């Protein structure tokens, strides 16, 4: 899809005036629209957080002694020296 140079110039002007938002990557113009996306790291962290919330809502019923938490270091009962990151 080709964008009219005048339309692109106007979109670029608008994009340049948008405020910087923490966690948002660069502002892009794609197919005649301004696109702002989370950086891949933030997207993945958000996905993990949302999945953990969904799991934690179910775990009290299905696995009462378990939790879902991203980045947690857990010590197993088998070995005090071993840590597992989930």
């Amino acid at each position: 899809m080709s964008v009219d140079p005048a339309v692109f110039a106007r979109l670029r002007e608008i994009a340049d005036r948008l405020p910087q938002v923490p966690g948002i990557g660069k502002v892009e113009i794609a197919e005649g629209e301004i696109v702002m996306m989370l950086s891949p790291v933030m997207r993945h962290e958000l996905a993990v957080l949302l999945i953990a919330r969904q799991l934690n809502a179910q775990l009290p019923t299905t696995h009462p002694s378990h939790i879902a938490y991203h980045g947690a270091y857990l010590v197993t009962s088998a070995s005090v020296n071993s840590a597992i990151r989930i």
Side-chain angles (χ1 to χ4, degrees), residues 34-70:
I34 296 174
V35 180
M36 296 173 67
M37 295 177 45
L38 291 172
S39 67
V41 171
M42 295 297 288
R43 273 195 312 236
H44 296 151
E45 289 175 0
L46 178 60
V48 169
L49 176 65
L50 295 174
I51 291 168
R53 285 182 183 168
Q54 291 176 13
L55 287 171
N56 282 324
Q58 299 172 33
L59 287 173
T61 305
T62 60
H63 296 82
S65 62
H66 291 77
I67 62 167
Y69 181 74
H70 62 88

Side-chain angles (χ1 to χ4, degrees), residues 1-3 7-8 11 29-35:
M1 176 179 181
S2 179
V3 178
V7 171
F8 183 84
L11 290 171
I29 298 172
E31 297 183 14
E33 296 181 348
I34 296 174
V35 180

Side-chain angles (χ1 to χ4, degrees), residues 21-32:
V21 179
I24 299 293
K26 65 182 179 177
V27 176
E28 298 179 2
I29 298 172
E31 297 183 14

Side-chain angles (χ1 to χ4, degrees), residues 10-23:
R10 178 71 179 135
L11 290 171
R12 182 78 267 155
E13 179 184 321
I14 293 168
D16 289 342
R17 286 190 280 137
L18 291 173
Q20 292 291 329
V21 179

